[in-house]
Amino acid sequence: TTQDVANYSNFSAKQLNRHFKSNFNMSVSDYIRKERISIVKEYLETSSLTLKEIALLSGFNDEYYLCKIFI
């Protein structure tokens, strides 16, 4: 989460989001979602894992929410 990244980096969540928006033109949560989707795509292309397993490994709560992201 944004708060987890902020805690790890010793920034407040607000400071971190400001930094991300000015340098990457996206929020931390958008960046996290983008990275998770990249992980999902990699698993889909290279593994025989179930959608449920992929969802859990890539940080989504379940395969139903993961599917919503792609719709």
Side-chain angles (χ1 to χ4, degrees), residues 1-2 26-41 58-60 65-66 68-70:
T1 65
T2 301
M26 68 176 71
S27 68
V28 176
S29 60
D30 289 341
Y31 178 81
I32 292 169
R33 188 176 310 108
K34 181 180 169 187
E35 288 301 309
R36 285 180 176 164
I37 290 171
S38 293
I39 292 168
V40 168
K41 288 178 181 179
S58 56
F60 292 96
Y65 182 66
L66 173 60
K68 282 184 180 182
I69 297 297
F70 281 94

PDB file of all heavy atoms in Angstrom, residues 1-2 26-41 58-60 65-66 68-70:
ATOM      1  N   THR A   1       0.838  -1.190   0.000  1.00  0.00           N
ATOM      2  CA  THR A   1       0.000   0.000   0.000  1.00  0.00           C
ATOM      3  C   THR A   1       0.882   1.252   0.000  1.00  0.00           C
ATOM      4  O   THR A   1       2.084   1.177   0.288  1.00  0.00           O
ATOM      5  CB  THR A   1      -0.913   0.036   1.241  1.00  0.00           C
ATOM      6  OG1 THR A   1      -0.087   0.164   2.396  1.00  0.00           O
ATOM      7  CG2 THR A   1      -1.781  -1.217   1.329  1.00  0.00           C
ATOM      8  N   THR A   2       0.255   2.365  -0.275  1.00  0.00           N
ATOM      9  CA  THR A   2       0.983   3.629  -0.220  1.00  0.00           C
ATOM     10  C   THR A   2       1.577   3.851   1.153  1.00  0.00           C
ATOM     11  O   THR A   2       2.732   4.271   1.280  1.00  0.00           O
ATOM     12  CB  THR A   2       0.042   4.802  -0.592  1.00  0.00           C
ATOM     13  OG1 THR A   2      -0.472   4.584  -1.896  1.00  0.00           O
ATOM     14  CG2 THR A   2       0.757   6.129  -0.538  1.00  0.00           C
ATOM     15  N   MET A  26       2.092   9.909 -11.780  1.00  0.00           N
ATOM     16  CA  MET A  26       1.077   8.972 -11.293  1.00  0.00           C
ATOM     17  C   MET A  26       1.195   8.883  -9.777  1.00  0.00           C
ATOM     18  O   MET A  26       2.223   9.222  -9.209  1.00  0.00           O
ATOM     19  CB  MET A  26       1.220   7.592 -11.930  1.00  0.00           C
ATOM     20  CG  MET A  26       2.464   6.831 -11.537  1.00  0.00           C
ATOM     21  SD  MET A  26       2.557   5.164 -12.226  1.00  0.00           S
ATOM     22  CE  MET A  26       2.865   5.494 -13.922  1.00  0.00           C
ATOM     23  N   SER A  27       0.126   8.418  -9.149  1.00  0.00           N
ATOM     24  CA  SER A  27       0.147   8.242  -7.701  1.00  0.00           C
ATOM     25  C   SER A  27       0.862   6.936  -7.359  1.00  0.00           C
ATOM     26  O   SER A  27       1.087   6.074  -8.223  1.00  0.00           O
ATOM     27  CB  SER A  27      -1.278   8.206  -7.148  1.00  0.00           C
ATOM     28  OG  SER A  27      -1.927   7.031  -7.593  1.00  0.00           O
ATOM     29  N   VAL A  28       1.210   6.786  -6.106  1.00  0.00           N
ATOM     30  CA  VAL A  28       1.860   5.559  -5.650  1.00  0.00           C
ATOM     31  C   VAL A  28       0.932   4.369  -5.869  1.00  0.00           C
ATOM     32  O   VAL A  28       1.364   3.320  -6.351  1.00  0.00           O
ATOM     33  CB  VAL A  28       2.272   5.664  -4.162  1.00  0.00           C
ATOM     34  CG1 VAL A  28       2.844   4.351  -3.671  1.00  0.00           C
ATOM     35  CG2 VAL A  28       3.262   6.787  -3.953  1.00  0.00           C
ATOM     36  N   SER A  29      -0.340   4.531  -5.561  1.00  0.00           N
ATOM     37  CA  SER A  29      -1.279   3.415  -5.736  1.00  0.00           C
ATOM     38  C   SER A  29      -1.414   3.030  -7.212  1.00  0.00           C
ATOM     39  O   SER A  29      -1.524   1.848  -7.535  1.00  0.00           O
ATOM     40  CB  SER A  29      -2.634   3.726  -5.117  1.00  0.00           C
ATOM     41  OG  SER A  29      -3.207   4.856  -5.707  1.00  0.00           O
ATOM     42  N   ASP A  30      -1.367   4.004  -8.116  1.00  0.00           N
ATOM     43  CA  ASP A  30      -1.395   3.692  -9.551  1.00  0.00           C
ATOM     44  C   ASP A  30      -0.145   2.918  -9.955  1.00  0.00           C
ATOM     45  O   ASP A  30      -0.217   1.971 -10.739  1.00  0.00           O
ATOM     46  CB  ASP A  30      -1.511   4.959 -10.397  1.00  0.00           C
ATOM     47  CG  ASP A  30      -2.867   5.601 -10.310  1.00  0.00           C
ATOM     48  OD1 ASP A  30      -3.839   4.923  -9.910  1.00  0.00           O
ATOM     49  OD2 ASP A  30      -2.963   6.804 -10.642  1.00  0.00           O
ATOM     50  N   TYR A  31       0.994   3.328  -9.423  1.00  0.00           N
ATOM     51  CA  TYR A  31       2.250   2.640  -9.720  1.00  0.00           C
ATOM     52  C   TYR A  31       2.215   1.197  -9.195  1.00  0.00           C
ATOM     53  O   TYR A  31       2.593   0.272  -9.909  1.00  0.00           O
ATOM     54  CB  TYR A  31       3.426   3.396  -9.110  1.00  0.00           C
ATOM     55  CG  TYR A  31       4.746   2.713  -9.351  1.00  0.00           C
ATOM     56  CD1 TYR A  31       5.416   2.868 -10.560  1.00  0.00           C
ATOM     57  CD2 TYR A  31       5.313   1.905  -8.376  1.00  0.00           C
ATOM     58  CE1 TYR A  31       6.625   2.237 -10.787  1.00  0.00           C
ATOM     59  CE2 TYR A  31       6.523   1.265  -8.603  1.00  0.00           C
ATOM     60  CZ  TYR A  31       7.175   1.436  -9.808  1.00  0.00           C
ATOM     61  OH  TYR A  31       8.362   0.798 -10.033  1.00  0.00           O
ATOM     62  N   ILE A  32       1.738   1.016  -7.971  1.00  0.00           N
ATOM     63  CA  ILE A  32       1.634  -0.324  -7.390  1.00  0.00           C
ATOM     64  C   ILE A  32       0.722  -1.197  -8.242  1.00  0.00           C
ATOM     65  O   ILE A  32       1.045  -2.343  -8.551  1.00  0.00           O
ATOM     66  CB  ILE A  32       1.147  -0.248  -5.927  1.00  0.00           C
ATOM     67  CG1 ILE A  32       2.223   0.396  -5.047  1.00  0.00           C
ATOM     68  CG2 ILE A  32       0.774  -1.634  -5.399  1.00  0.00           C
ATOM     69  CD1 ILE A  32       1.751   0.760  -3.647  1.00  0.00           C
ATOM     70  N   ARG A  33      -0.429  -0.663  -8.643  1.00  0.00           N
ATOM     71  CA  ARG A  33      -1.372  -1.412  -9.476  1.00  0.00           C
ATOM     72  C   ARG A  33      -0.721  -1.794 -10.805  1.00  0.00           C
ATOM     73  O   ARG A  33      -0.840  -2.925 -11.275  1.00  0.00           O
ATOM     74  CB  ARG A  33      -2.640  -0.606  -9.713  1.00  0.00           C
ATOM     75  CG  ARG A  33      -3.737  -1.379 -10.413  1.00  0.00           C
ATOM     76  CD  ARG A  33      -5.037  -0.591 -10.546  1.00  0.00           C
ATOM     77  NE  ARG A  33      -5.483   0.004  -9.291  1.00  0.00           N
ATOM     78  CZ  ARG A  33      -5.430   1.319  -9.009  1.00  0.00           C
ATOM     79  NH1 ARG A  33      -4.978   2.175  -9.895  1.00  0.00           N
ATOM     80  NH2 ARG A  33      -5.861   1.769  -7.854  1.00  0.00           N
ATOM     81  N   LYS A  34       0.003  -0.861 -11.406  1.00  0.00           N
ATOM     82  CA  LYS A  34       0.687  -1.118 -12.680  1.00  0.00           C
ATOM     83  C   LYS A  34       1.709  -2.247 -12.523  1.00  0.00           C
ATOM     84  O   LYS A  34       1.789  -3.143 -13.364  1.00  0.00           O
ATOM     85  CB  LYS A  34       1.376   0.165 -13.145  1.00  0.00           C
ATOM     86  CG  LYS A  34       2.100   0.052 -14.442  1.00  0.00           C
ATOM     87  CD  LYS A  34       2.740   1.389 -14.793  1.00  0.00           C
ATOM     88  CE  LYS A  34       3.686   1.219 -15.952  1.00  0.00           C
ATOM     89  NZ  LYS A  34       4.450   2.417 -16.231  1.00  0.00           N
ATOM     90  N   GLU A  35       2.464  -2.222 -11.443  1.00  0.00           N
ATOM     91  CA  GLU A  35       3.457  -3.271 -11.202  1.00  0.00           C
ATOM     92  C   GLU A  35       2.791  -4.625 -10.945  1.00  0.00           C
ATOM     93  O   GLU A  35       3.266  -5.660 -11.422  1.00  0.00           O
ATOM     94  CB  GLU A  35       4.361  -2.893 -10.032  1.00  0.00           C
ATOM     95  CG  GLU A  35       5.318  -1.782 -10.353  1.00  0.00           C
ATOM     96  CD  GLU A  35       6.237  -2.104 -11.516  1.00  0.00           C
ATOM     97  OE1 GLU A  35       6.877  -3.172 -11.506  1.00  0.00           O
ATOM     98  OE2 GLU A  35       6.308  -1.287 -12.453  1.00  0.00           O
ATOM     99  N   ARG A  36       1.708  -4.624 -10.213  1.00  0.00           N
ATOM    100  CA  ARG A  36       0.982  -5.874  -9.956  1.00  0.00           C
ATOM    101  C   ARG A  36       0.443  -6.466 -11.259  1.00  0.00           C
ATOM    102  O   ARG A  36       0.497  -7.674 -11.473  1.00  0.00           O
ATOM    103  CB  ARG A  36      -0.168  -5.642  -8.982  1.00  0.00           C
ATOM    104  CG  ARG A  36       0.283  -5.472  -7.562  1.00  0.00           C
ATOM    105  CD  ARG A  36      -0.889  -5.251  -6.652  1.00  0.00           C
ATOM    106  NE  ARG A  36      -0.437  -5.176  -5.271  1.00  0.00           N
ATOM    107  CZ  ARG A  36      -1.156  -4.690  -4.287  1.00  0.00           C
ATOM    108  NH1 ARG A  36      -2.383  -4.250  -4.523  1.00  0.00           N
ATOM    109  NH2 ARG A  36      -0.678  -4.654  -3.064  1.00  0.00           N
ATOM    110  N   ILE A  37      -0.067  -5.619 -12.136  1.00  0.00           N
ATOM    111  CA  ILE A  37      -0.578  -6.089 -13.418  1.00  0.00           C
ATOM    112  C   ILE A  37       0.560  -6.669 -14.255  1.00  0.00           C
ATOM    113  O   ILE A  37       0.387  -7.689 -14.931  1.00  0.00           O
ATOM    114  CB  ILE A  37      -1.336  -4.970 -14.148  1.00  0.00           C
ATOM    115  CG1 ILE A  37      -2.649  -4.693 -13.406  1.00  0.00           C
ATOM    116  CG2 ILE A  37      -1.595  -5.330 -15.605  1.00  0.00           C
ATOM    117  CD1 ILE A  37      -3.386  -3.473 -13.879  1.00  0.00           C
ATOM    118  N   SER A  38       1.727  -6.055 -14.195  1.00  0.00           N
ATOM    119  CA  SER A  38       2.889  -6.604 -14.905  1.00  0.00           C
ATOM    120  C   SER A  38       3.236  -7.999 -14.396  1.00  0.00           C
ATOM    121  O   SER A  38       3.557  -8.895 -15.181  1.00  0.00           O
ATOM    122  CB  SER A  38       4.107  -5.696 -14.740  1.00  0.00           C
ATOM    123  OG  SER A  38       3.914  -4.481 -15.382  1.00  0.00           O
ATOM    124  N   ILE A  39       3.150  -8.176 -13.098  1.00  0.00           N
ATOM    125  CA  ILE A  39       3.413  -9.486 -12.497  1.00  0.00           C
ATOM    126  C   ILE A  39       2.384 -10.498 -12.971  1.00  0.00           C
ATOM    127  O   ILE A  39       2.724 -11.631 -13.334  1.00  0.00           O
ATOM    128  CB  ILE A  39       3.432  -9.378 -10.959  1.00  0.00           C
ATOM    129  CG1 ILE A  39       4.641  -8.557 -10.501  1.00  0.00           C
ATOM    130  CG2 ILE A  39       3.434 -10.758 -10.306  1.00  0.00           C
ATOM    131  CD1 ILE A  39       4.603  -8.146  -9.049  1.00  0.00           C
ATOM    132  N   VAL A  40       1.118 -10.097 -12.991  1.00  0.00           N
ATOM    133  CA  VAL A  40       0.046 -10.981 -13.453  1.00  0.00           C
ATOM    134  C   VAL A  40       0.302 -11.406 -14.898  1.00  0.00           C
ATOM    135  O   VAL A  40       0.210 -12.591 -15.233  1.00  0.00           O
ATOM    136  CB  VAL A  40      -1.335 -10.300 -13.331  1.00  0.00           C
ATOM    137  CG1 VAL A  40      -2.406 -11.090 -14.061  1.00  0.00           C
ATOM    138  CG2 VAL A  40      -1.706 -10.104 -11.875  1.00  0.00           C
ATOM    139  N   LYS A  41       0.623 -10.463 -15.759  1.00  0.00           N
ATOM    140  CA  LYS A  41       0.881 -10.776 -17.164  1.00  0.00           C
ATOM    141  C   LYS A  41       2.017 -11.778 -17.299  1.00  0.00           C
ATOM    142  O   LYS A  41       1.939 -12.718 -18.099  1.00  0.00           O
ATOM    143  CB  LYS A  41       1.203  -9.501 -17.940  1.00  0.00           C
ATOM    144  CG  LYS A  41       0.008  -8.616 -18.170  1.00  0.00           C
ATOM    145  CD  LYS A  41       0.415  -7.350 -18.897  1.00  0.00           C
ATOM    146  CE  LYS A  41      -0.763  -6.432 -19.107  1.00  0.00           C
ATOM    147  NZ  LYS A  41      -0.369  -5.178 -19.785  1.00  0.00           N
ATOM    148  N   SER A  58       0.316 -12.015  -6.746  1.00  0.00           N
ATOM    149  CA  SER A  58       0.566 -10.668  -7.252  1.00  0.00           C
ATOM    150  C   SER A  58      -0.071  -9.569  -6.403  1.00  0.00           C
ATOM    151  O   SER A  58      -0.068  -8.409  -6.793  1.00  0.00           O
ATOM    152  CB  SER A  58       0.097 -10.555  -8.703  1.00  0.00           C
ATOM    153  OG  SER A  58      -1.256 -10.902  -8.814  1.00  0.00           O
ATOM    154  N   GLY A  59      -0.607  -9.933  -5.254  1.00  0.00           N
ATOM    155  CA  GLY A  59      -1.084  -8.921  -4.317  1.00  0.00           C
ATOM    156  C   GLY A  59      -2.552  -8.567  -4.402  1.00  0.00           C
ATOM    157  O   GLY A  59      -2.996  -7.610  -3.776  1.00  0.00           O
ATOM    158  N   PHE A  60      -3.328  -9.310  -5.181  1.00  0.00           N
ATOM    159  CA  PHE A  60      -4.762  -9.079  -5.246  1.00  0.00           C
ATOM    160  C   PHE A  60      -5.456 -10.007  -4.256  1.00  0.00           C
ATOM    161  O   PHE A  60      -4.968 -11.098  -3.971  1.00  0.00           O
ATOM    162  CB  PHE A  60      -5.297  -9.327  -6.660  1.00  0.00           C
ATOM    163  CG  PHE A  60      -4.801  -8.311  -7.656  1.00  0.00           C
ATOM    164  CD1 PHE A  60      -3.695  -8.577  -8.444  1.00  0.00           C
ATOM    165  CD2 PHE A  60      -5.430  -7.083  -7.785  1.00  0.00           C
ATOM    166  CE1 PHE A  60      -3.232  -7.640  -9.343  1.00  0.00           C
ATOM    167  CE2 PHE A  60      -4.973  -6.145  -8.680  1.00  0.00           C
ATOM    168  CZ  PHE A  60      -3.865  -6.419  -9.471  1.00  0.00           C
ATOM    169  N   TYR A  65     -11.531  -9.991  -8.091  1.00  0.00           N
ATOM    170  CA  TYR A  65     -11.076  -8.602  -8.139  1.00  0.00           C
ATOM    171  C   TYR A  65     -10.037  -8.440  -9.243  1.00  0.00           C
ATOM    172  O   TYR A  65     -10.039  -7.447  -9.980  1.00  0.00           O
ATOM    173  CB  TYR A  65     -10.515  -8.153  -6.796  1.00  0.00           C
ATOM    174  CG  TYR A  65     -10.078  -6.719  -6.808  1.00  0.00           C
ATOM    175  CD1 TYR A  65     -10.995  -5.692  -6.968  1.00  0.00           C
ATOM    176  CD2 TYR A  65      -8.733  -6.382  -6.719  1.00  0.00           C
ATOM    177  CE1 TYR A  65     -10.597  -4.373  -7.015  1.00  0.00           C
ATOM    178  CE2 TYR A  65      -8.327  -5.065  -6.767  1.00  0.00           C
ATOM    179  CZ  TYR A  65      -9.259  -4.063  -6.911  1.00  0.00           C
ATOM    180  OH  TYR A  65      -8.854  -2.764  -6.970  1.00  0.00           O
ATOM    181  N   LEU A  66      -9.172  -9.415  -9.383  1.00  0.00           N
ATOM    182  CA  LEU A  66      -8.169  -9.379 -10.445  1.00  0.00           C
ATOM    183  C   LEU A  66      -8.854  -9.264 -11.808  1.00  0.00           C
ATOM    184  O   LEU A  66      -8.432  -8.457 -12.649  1.00  0.00           O
ATOM    185  CB  LEU A  66      -7.301 -10.634 -10.391  1.00  0.00           C
ATOM    186  CG  LEU A  66      -6.313 -10.821 -11.536  1.00  0.00           C
ATOM    187  CD1 LEU A  66      -5.322  -9.680 -11.605  1.00  0.00           C
ATOM    188  CD2 LEU A  66      -5.595 -12.148 -11.375  1.00  0.00           C
ATOM    189  N   LYS A  68     -11.730  -7.951 -12.482  1.00  0.00           N
ATOM    190  CA  LYS A  68     -12.309  -6.613 -12.616  1.00  0.00           C
ATOM    191  C   LYS A  68     -11.276  -5.606 -13.125  1.00  0.00           C
ATOM    192  O   LYS A  68     -11.600  -4.687 -13.861  1.00  0.00           O
ATOM    193  CB  LYS A  68     -12.860  -6.128 -11.286  1.00  0.00           C
ATOM    194  CG  LYS A  68     -14.170  -6.713 -10.921  1.00  0.00           C
ATOM    195  CD  LYS A  68     -14.668  -6.084  -9.635  1.00  0.00           C
ATOM    196  CE  LYS A  68     -16.006  -6.640  -9.230  1.00  0.00           C
ATOM    197  NZ  LYS A  68     -16.504  -5.997  -8.015  1.00  0.00           N
ATOM    198  N   ILE A  69     -10.036  -5.775 -12.713  1.00  0.00           N
ATOM    199  CA  ILE A  69      -8.967  -4.871 -13.120  1.00  0.00           C
ATOM    200  C   ILE A  69      -8.767  -4.936 -14.634  1.00  0.00           C
ATOM    201  O   ILE A  69      -8.483  -3.935 -15.277  1.00  0.00           O
ATOM    202  CB  ILE A  69      -7.650  -5.235 -12.395  1.00  0.00           C
ATOM    203  CG1 ILE A  69      -7.778  -5.059 -10.885  1.00  0.00           C
ATOM    204  CG2 ILE A  69      -6.476  -4.420 -12.936  1.00  0.00           C
ATOM    205  CD1 ILE A  69      -8.041  -3.651 -10.424  1.00  0.00           C
ATOM    206  N   PHE A  70      -8.939  -6.118 -15.220  1.00  0.00           N
ATOM    207  CA  PHE A  70      -8.705  -6.297 -16.639  1.00  0.00           C
ATOM    208  C   PHE A  70      -9.914  -5.960 -17.507  1.00  0.00           C
ATOM    209  O   PHE A  70      -9.806  -5.904 -18.724  1.00  0.00           O
ATOM    210  CB  PHE A  70      -8.253  -7.735 -16.927  1.00  0.00           C
ATOM    211  CG  PHE A  70      -6.799  -7.948 -16.617  1.00  0.00           C
ATOM    212  CD1 PHE A  70      -6.409  -8.433 -15.386  1.00  0.00           C
ATOM    213  CD2 PHE A  70      -5.828  -7.645 -17.555  1.00  0.00           C
ATOM    214  CE1 PHE A  70      -5.065  -8.619 -15.101  1.00  0.00           C
ATOM    215  CE2 PHE A  70      -4.487  -7.833 -17.278  1.00  0.00           C
ATOM    216  CZ  PHE A  70      -4.111  -8.319 -16.042  1.00  0.00           C
TER     217      PHE A  70
END
